[in-house]
Amino acid sequence: MSIKINPFNTLQKLSSNHYYYSLPKLEEHISVSIRRLPISIRIMLESMLRHCDGHLVKEEDVLRVVNWNSRMTPEGEIPFIVSRVILQDFTGVPLLVDLAAMRDAVAKLGLDAKIIEPEVPVDLVVDHSVQVDRAGTNDAFLFNLKIEFERNRERYSFLKWGQKAYKTFQVIPPGIGIVHQVNLEHIAEVVVHKKMEGIHWLYPDTLVGTDSHTTMINGLGVVGWGVGGIEAEAAMLGQPIFIQMPEVIGVHLSGGLKDGVTATDLTLYITELLRNEKVVGKFVEFFGEGAASLTVADRATIGNMAPEYGATMGFFAVDDQTLEYLRMTGRDEQHVQLVKEYLTSQQIFGIPRKGDIDFTKILELDLTQIQPCVSGPKRPQDRIDLSNVKAKFDQLLKIPIANGGYGKAEEKPHIKVHSGGVFFLDHRHEWGGTSVFGRMTKEQPWSEFEMLANRPLTPPVVNPGYANHIDEEIILTHGSIVIAAITSCTNTSNPNVMLAAGLLAKKAVEKGLKVNPMIKTSLAPGSRIVTDYLAKSNLQQYLDQLGFQLVAYGCTTCIGNSGPLDEKIEKAIKHFDLITVSVLSGNRNFEARIHGSVKANFLMSPPLVVAYALAGRIDIDLANEPIGYDQNGQPVYLKDLWPSENEIKKTIRQAIEPDMFKLRYSSISQDNPVWDKIITKEGSQYNWESESTYIRQPPYFENFSLELPNLKKLQDMRPLALFGDSVTTDHISPAGSFKPDSPAGKYLMSLGISEKEFNSYGSRRGNHEVMMRGTFANVRLRNRMVDDREGGLTTLMPDGMELPIFDACQAYADREVPLIIFAGKDYGMGSSRDWAAKGTALLGVRVVVARSFERIHRSNLIGMGILPLEFLPEQSWESLGIIGEELFSIKGFEEALKPNQELILEIKSEDKIQLVNLRARLETTIEVEYYRHGGILPYVLRYILNQR
């Protein structure tokens, strides 16, 4: 930014002597009203105005957004440059690997490697690697944390190197909080104040993150959403995120929530409503008096679930509630005032009222109509009123599996599970006779964890396990709850529902109620602040007595890191095919996601998690049936335990103080001495270890030069695969576990890694050797070159030999033969997985031809230097008679590439040559540039080097 650059004559100065680019001045200059644009669109417009350099962002891009029209379907893509990037550790490790490789490439050219530095601040929060190995004990948090450090020491050492090596790269260590909650409470500024060349600048805080629930920050009035790793890399290096001009759905909230109705209930209702409205790929903005009445914590709960209702964002504008949240979380008062002054000057302060904004469509929602509810048992959008849960579950039990039910007989089995046995006595036996605590205590004394636990610690001799207290037989049947988890960023960020859970637990304990011992109970809050206010309100002790002891600060049960169930319980479930249940305060409940043995999973508020854990079963009418019986044998109903709104508000006032946030976030490094003791490498370049199986130097820059690659190499390509419609990124990208006979398994075993040490593809994302071997290895993949059979196979040509896809690619690489893939409609649909494109590129694929592409995967392919080509209407590889024995070349590169240019596919078989027109799916000039340079990373590297 420079005061010499003044697009549309919009540069202004606040009374506080800060410069900014003014949206009202833009409106004056172009004589077009922008004040009726949705707030989210205006914030993106400001970014484009600020970056309008004629290269990355052009004046016509700005004007295209100015002319956004609610009455027309928006067209074209817009370049959006964010002010920062946020990462979680699973996706952050491979991004840091790429940055390290870029530095190596610069050093090979004889230049200073440190010129490679993220152009915007990057925060990585380590929160995805912890698992609930232990629950229901006072030492559960420390045990799980120790196991986490032992499993991930190499990855964490690499992250610590990155924090030291890059000025703009910050790591929040494990045991601090969930990425989205740390973002909300600490990292987000709402308005950025930056000093450059002696000038103070102001602009909106915007971001993208490598977790789909980055949208939680929308509740704070910050524009941001989740992206794949390749898009995040581009954003880190100062490149735009290109998105289709969005439709914006306005949700008008009126009225207020009734007493006893939580933000979770509202969020689940909104999820159902917007899924039915089909808002996939659209922006959603909430407005009206009802929206203004919601706290920021409630708004963040709604924003978090945007991926579940399908929207790109679920946005709330900044208002006085936002300012109060900033104060409550310890933000500086001077900054809070600056936020209000800047946003007011931009005319984007305050929740809009009805009639203020033009939206693509407006939906009405009266908050007084919201009822307590849950969602499940298989999808977040399947909402069930609390009064109907029992009847719905009983109905689903009998519905055939093909129709979404469980196909069970009328009569429920009742399976007795007895206590006793090795499992319940000592977990050391379960670990093959080795004391886990004994092994780790030598490396990490308990004293190092005392600050994390807020109390002195004594190492236990025995790990009792969560079910050790079973001293009589228990009964399992359909509907039995076996996991009850207060987990996930969605709800453990919200003090209203967290303190409600504590108050409900207090009343339950006082009445003598207990949780059924078969249930694995756990508490994984969004941040350490939750522990502070639960302790100050004296409510944690009651949660502890019910088994909801702290297990972690991180993503646990909600992402499938629920850990093992009791061995006897799990065997009973599997042997009798029981439809057991998990109840959790998370955001996703897809079948087998929470635990492989648990088939029914219900999302709900934290206090309802506690209530159902007390009941022990899902098939209960909580309105009319007692949860249990008190010391006098009297029935206890949910209404007897549920705290009033006044009780919750009083507790919040007494328990939460700004100093809590200031103290916690001012001492992040001191709060985790174990992280500090991890030994890491020094230097601006990473010292790669040849024996590492987690972190490897990628080959992206092996033959890098300042010269552009030769596009004429797309000659005589062999087909790797002929795919049908709807091949997803799950089919392409390696995910989950893998077996010893897979290419990845064989590779690790050749290095002396046993099968039990394989871990998952996700944990090895920093090792391209593992990931490329897992690309196209999905057992459900169908390649027509091998008779449409399932599995990651192809036919090596011209040999005619059937091989695993990775092995065939190795053979083609030895022969220096480039590869091409053919596919049908919606190629690359599903999650934005960067390895779906990275793995494809590393296998030697240079072109993908499909009938249509999913937007993000098409973008990712270009980002890795792969050319996406699209058949013209009514064409397909089947209609062209392609069988996989041909040679393919791309013609039409004689002149400079242009967006959406038609190219010619030459199909050469034994008896003929066929020429077919295809459309290059390079949509913009910058995408053409990315492709010409071989991908985003080499483009940015050449750009940086050419600026010297």
Side-chain angles (χ1 to χ4, degrees):
M1 291 177 288
S2 169
I3 58 174
K4 296 179 182 179
I5 299 175
N6 193 5
F8 299 98
N9 195 31
T10 54
L11 189 63
Q12 294 289 299
K13 186 162 69 170
L14 277 179
S15 58
S16 55
N17 208 33
H18 292 81
Y19 282 89
Y20 70 104
Y21 289 98
S22 169
L23 295 177
K25 281 294 179 182
L26 175 63
E27 187 175 64
E28 289 179 16
H29 183 80
I30 61 177
S31 300
V32 175
S33 175
I34 64 172
R35 67 190 63 195
R36 294 192 64 81
L37 291 175
I39 302 295
S40 57
I41 296 293
R42 282 187 255 175
I43 291 174
M44 295 182 67
L45 176 61
E46 187 281 337
S47 172
M48 297 175 66
L49 185 63
R50 183 164 28 97
H51 292 97
C52 186
D53 60 358
H55 176 58
L56 293 179
V57 180
K58 300 180 176 63
E59 287 192 358
E60 54 261 39
D61 296 321
V62 174
L63 293 174
R64 189 182 309 119
V65 178
V66 166
N67 291 301
W68 184 91
N69 192 320
S70 63
R71 295 179 297 278
M72 299 175 62
T73 301
E75 294 182 353
E77 290 191 323
I78 55 176
F80 177 45
I81 299 178
V82 296
S83 61
R84 61 186 175 95
V85 173
I86 196 163
L87 314 171
Q88 40 93 332
D89 51 306
F90 261 19
T91 52
V93 167
L95 268 67
L96 185 58
V97 166
D98 291 350
L99 280 181
M102 288 184 77
R103 281 197 167 178
D104 291 345
V106 169
K108 282 183 180 180
L109 295 174
L111 300 172
D112 183 1
K114 288 190 285 188
I115 66 175
I116 299 301
E117 182 78 28
E119 293 290 318
V120 299
V122 179
D123 295 281
L124 185 148
V125 181
V126 182
D127 71 340
H128 270 53
S129 297
V130 66
Q131 178 174 294
V132 187
D133 291 285
R134 180 181 292 185
T137 63
N138 289 331
D139 67 319
F141 167 63
L142 299 171
F143 180 87
N144 295 329
L145 192 65
K146 278 178 173 267
I147 294 289
E148 176 189 352
F149 270 85
E150 184 179 69
R151 287 171 177 155
N152 296 283
R153 186 169 295 274
E154 185 179 342
R155 296 170 64 241
Y156 291 173
S157 176
F158 178 62
L159 291 176
K160 284 193 72 175
W161 166 82
Q163 186 169 23
K164 292 182 178 181
Y166 297 92
K167 295 178 181 178
T168 52
F169 183 81
Q170 174 181 317
V171 178
I172 306 294
I176 300 299
I178 292 174
V179 56
H180 314 303
Q181 183 65 10
V182 175
N183 192 16
L184 195 74
E185 291 179 350
H186 176 60
I187 299 173
E189 298 179 79
V190 181
V191 171
V192 178
H193 169 212
K194 186 174 184 179
K195 187 176 181 180
M196 293 181 62
E197 300 178 355
I199 304 296
H200 292 268
W201 293 92
L202 294 176
Y203 51 90
D205 181 6
T206 57
L207 75 152
V208 289
T210 56
D211 189 293
S212 58
H213 296 102
T214 299
T215 51
M216 183 168 174
I217 203 64
N218 301 159
L220 197 64
V222 175
V223 166
W225 57 84
V227 296
I230 293 173
E231 285 181 295
E233 285 180 329
M236 286 166 56
L237 296 167
Q239 297 300 301
I241 297 292
F242 287 93
I243 68 165
Q244 287 291 124
M245 185 80 78
E247 296 181 25
V248 184
I249 307 300
V251 179
H252 179 240
L253 303 181
S254 59
L257 296 176
K258 294 183 295 187
D259 199 0
V261 176
T262 68
T264 313
D265 301 321
L266 171 59
T267 301
L268 295 177
Y269 188 95
I270 287 172
T271 301
E272 178 189 46
L273 172 71
L274 294 180
R275 265 293 168 187
N276 290 335
E277 188 60 33
K278 296 180 171 55
V279 297
V280 174
K282 301 176 184 179
F283 287 7
V284 171
E285 277 196 26
F286 298 91
F287 68 103
E289 294 81 359
S293 73
L294 297 174
T295 66
V296 167
D298 291 349
R299 299 173 189 180
T301 303
I302 295 168
N304 182 284
M305 291 284 279
E308 278 60 62
Y309 46 81
T312 301
M313 284 200 305
F315 182 80
F316 291 81
V318 176
D319 66 350
D320 287 326
Q321 290 261 31
T322 317
L323 301 184
E324 283 307 307
Y325 181 85
L326 293 176
R327 293 188 181 99
M328 184 189 76
T329 51
R331 266 70 163 213
D332 180 72
E333 180 61 31
Q334 185 177 358
H335 180 73
V336 174
Q337 291 301 322
L338 199 59
V339 168
K340 184 171 185 178
E341 183 183 7
Y342 169 77
L343 294 178
T344 301
S345 70
Q346 293 283 40
Q347 298 180 356
I348 53 176
F349 182 82
I351 297 283
R353 305 299 179 181
K354 193 169 185 179
D356 291 348
I357 302 288
D358 293 328
F359 292 106
T360 305
K361 184 176 183 178
I362 292 178
L363 304 177
E364 296 286 345
L365 179 55
D366 181 355
L367 299 185
T368 63
Q369 301 303 307
I370 306 300
Q371 301 292 327
C373 62
V374 307
S375 280
K378 299 179 182 181
R379 300 187 306 175
Q381 63 264 40
D382 295 333
R383 187 185 64 86
I384 310 169
D385 283 338
L386 189 61
S387 58
N388 293 333
V389 171
K390 178 179 181 178
K392 182 66 174 179
F393 182 78
D394 288 341
Q395 178 187 15
L396 287 169
L397 277 179
K398 301 165 189 173
I399 291 175
I401 294 174
N403 296 331
Y406 295 105
K408 295 299 179 183
E410 293 281 342
E411 193 171 326
K412 293 182 181 179
H414 288 76
I415 311 303
K416 294 181 180 180
V417 181
H418 292 272
S419 62
V422 171
F423 180 87
F424 298 107
L425 295 178
D426 188 340
H427 263 228
R428 288 182 294 181
H429 296 286
E430 189 190 5
W431 288 77
T434 301
S435 170
V436 174
F437 274 108
R439 182 171 68 252
M440 290 192 296
T441 301
K442 294 177 183 177
E443 298 177 9
Q444 303 168 354
W446 279 99
S447 60
E448 297 174 4
F449 287 83
E450 289 183 342
M451 294 176 70
L452 289 163
N454 298 319
R455 64 179 187 273
L457 299 169
T458 303
V461 177
V462 171
N463 168 23
Y466 76 91
N468 187 56
H469 55 291
I470 299 177
D471 54 10
E472 59 186 26
E473 67 184 20
I474 60 174
I475 304 297
L476 279 176
T477 186
H478 300 320
S480 292
I481 295 170
V482 293
I483 293 176
I486 302 176
T487 181
S488 167
C489 43
T490 310
N491 294 287
T492 60
S493 66
N494 192 326
N496 299 66
V497 292
M498 292 300 291
L499 288 170
L503 289 167
L504 190 147
K506 178 177 183 292
K507 295 183 180 185
V509 169
E510 290 171 347
K511 290 182 178 294
L513 300 186
K514 295 181 180 180
V515 171
N516 192 310
M518 69 182 170
I519 301 174
K520 184 173 186 177
T521 47
S522 61
L523 168 63
S527 80
R528 302 194 69 200
I529 308 300
V530 178
T531 297
D532 291 338
Y533 64 64
L534 284 175
K536 186 171 182 181
S537 60
N538 295 316
L539 294 177
Q540 183 62 57
Q541 61 173 313
Y542 301 106
L543 289 165
D544 288 349
Q545 290 182 58
L546 297 181
F548 288 96
Q549 285 91 346
L550 175 70
V551 296
Y553 300 104
C555 294
T556 54
T557 304
C558 191
I559 61 167
N561 288 354
S562 55
L565 292 176
D566 175 273
E567 184 179 26
K568 290 180 173 55
I569 290 175
E570 188 159 352
K571 284 182 177 179
I573 292 171
K574 291 182 177 179
H575 183 77
F576 295 98
D577 193 24
L578 298 177
I579 310 302
T580 55
V581 175
S582 75
V583 293
L584 64 150
S585 62
N587 46 34
R588 285 182 174 164
N589 58 338
F590 307 124
E591 194 169 17
R593 179 184 177 93
I594 306 305
H595 191 283
S597 298
V598 181
K599 294 185 178 181
N601 307 288
F602 291 88
L603 307 180
M604 59 189 65
S605 66
L608 277 181
V609 170
V610 178
Y612 271 107
L614 290 165
R617 58 193 178 94
I618 199 69
D619 53 344
I620 179 175
D621 179 357
L622 289 179
N624 299 301
E625 295 181 51
I627 286 178
Y629 295 84
D630 65 15
Q631 303 96 324
N632 301 316
Q634 295 300 308
V636 178
Y637 295 89
L638 180 62
K639 63 183 179 181
D640 302 323
L641 303 178
W642 199 268
S644 70
E645 200 66 30
N646 287 335
E647 285 180 278
I648 296 170
K649 289 180 178 178
K650 180 181 177 181
T651 307
I652 288 176
R653 287 194 298 270
Q654 294 173 343
I656 301 179
E657 300 174 347
D659 285 347
M660 288 179 173
F661 297 86
K662 292 179 180 178
L663 178 63
R664 280 299 181 197
Y665 287 113
S666 66
S667 58
I668 288 174
S669 58
Q670 297 93 323
D671 274 355
N672 201 326
V674 188
W675 174 262
D676 291 340
K677 287 185 179 294
I678 289 180
I679 298 173
T680 188
K681 303 176 188 300
E682 301 287 342
S684 59
Q685 290 179 254
Y686 187 70
N687 184 18
W688 307 95
E689 296 179 3
S690 59
E691 67 274 15
S692 173
T693 59
Y694 280 93
I695 308 294
R696 296 294 294 260
Q697 184 180 24
Y700 307 134
F701 302 103
E702 281 183 354
N703 300 311
F704 177 81
S705 73
L706 292 177
E707 300 296 325
L708 268 62
N710 186 357
L711 297 181
K712 293 182 180 179
K713 288 185 178 179
L714 302 180
Q715 305 288 325
D716 294 330
M717 294 178 286
R718 286 288 183 184
L720 181 63
L722 304 176
F723 293 133
D725 295 339
S726 303
V727 171
T728 71
T729 50
D730 281 355
H731 288 114
I732 305 167
S733 176
S737 60
F738 49 95
K739 298 185 179 300
D741 58 353
S742 67
K746 291 177 181 177
Y747 164 74
L748 289 177
M749 293 186 74
S750 73
L751 299 176
I753 305 297
S754 65
E755 183 180 357
K756 67 179 182 180
E757 298 172 307
F758 279 3
N759 215 324
S760 65
Y761 279 120
S763 68
R764 296 186 181 272
R765 289 181 183 178
N767 184 346
H768 66 278
E769 296 286 1
V770 171
M771 299 302 282
M772 64 189 288
R773 284 167 170 79
T775 304
F776 296 113
N778 189 297
V779 295
R780 295 290 175 258
L781 189 67
R782 290 181 179 271
N783 180 4
R784 308 293 174 81
M785 290 181 67
V786 287
D787 300 325
D788 201 26
R789 288 187 288 108
E790 288 187 337
L793 301 170
T794 192
T795 302
L796 180 69
M797 300 302 296
D799 311 57
M801 183 188 307
E802 187 176 294
L803 291 173
I805 283 179
F806 173 77
D807 294 342
C809 290
Q810 290 295 99
Y812 284 129
D814 292 341
R815 302 172 186 178
E816 297 185 350
V817 175
L819 301 174
I820 186 171
I821 286 174
F822 292 93
K825 296 178 181 177
D826 300 322
Y827 183 73
M829 64 186 295
S831 300
S832 172
R833 299 185 187 275
D834 53 334
W835 270 107
K838 283 184 173 180
T840 300
L842 290 177
L843 290 177
V845 176
R846 297 292 171 258
V847 178
V848 177
V849 186
R851 297 191 69 183
S852 64
F853 290 89
E854 192 276 339
R855 182 189 68 83
I856 294 178
H857 186 61
R858 178 195 65 81
S859 166
N860 284 346
L861 289 174
I862 298 167
M864 290 307 301
I866 298 171
L867 179 63
L869 297 174
E870 194 167 276
F871 289 110
L872 298 183
E874 309 305 321
Q875 280 186 343
S876 66
W877 61 264
E878 294 99 330
S879 69
L880 296 173
I882 294 172
I883 61 174
E885 297 177 357
E886 304 88 348
L887 289 171
F888 301 89
S889 300
I890 303 299
K891 308 292 184 180
F893 287 119
E894 292 77 9
E895 300 178 1
L897 268 175
K898 299 176 183 177
N900 297 305
Q901 180 178 339
E902 283 197 6
L903 299 174
I904 297 172
L905 174 69
E906 179 188 81
I907 308 171
K908 188 189 302 181
S909 58
E910 287 186 358
D911 56 350
K912 66 177 180 179
I913 294 179
Q914 188 177 2
L915 301 178
V916 178
N917 283 3
L918 302 173
R919 184 165 73 93
R921 287 297 311 275
L922 304 172
E923 304 289 343
T924 61
T925 54
I926 192 65
E927 286 190 343
V928 170
E929 286 300 296
Y930 288 162
Y931 176 69
R932 289 180 64 245
H933 282 261
I936 287 177
L937 296 183
Y939 167 86
V940 174
L941 185 53
R942 290 189 183 98
Y943 177 83
I944 293 171
L945 295 177
N946 287 328
Q947 299 303 305
R948 292 181 60 81

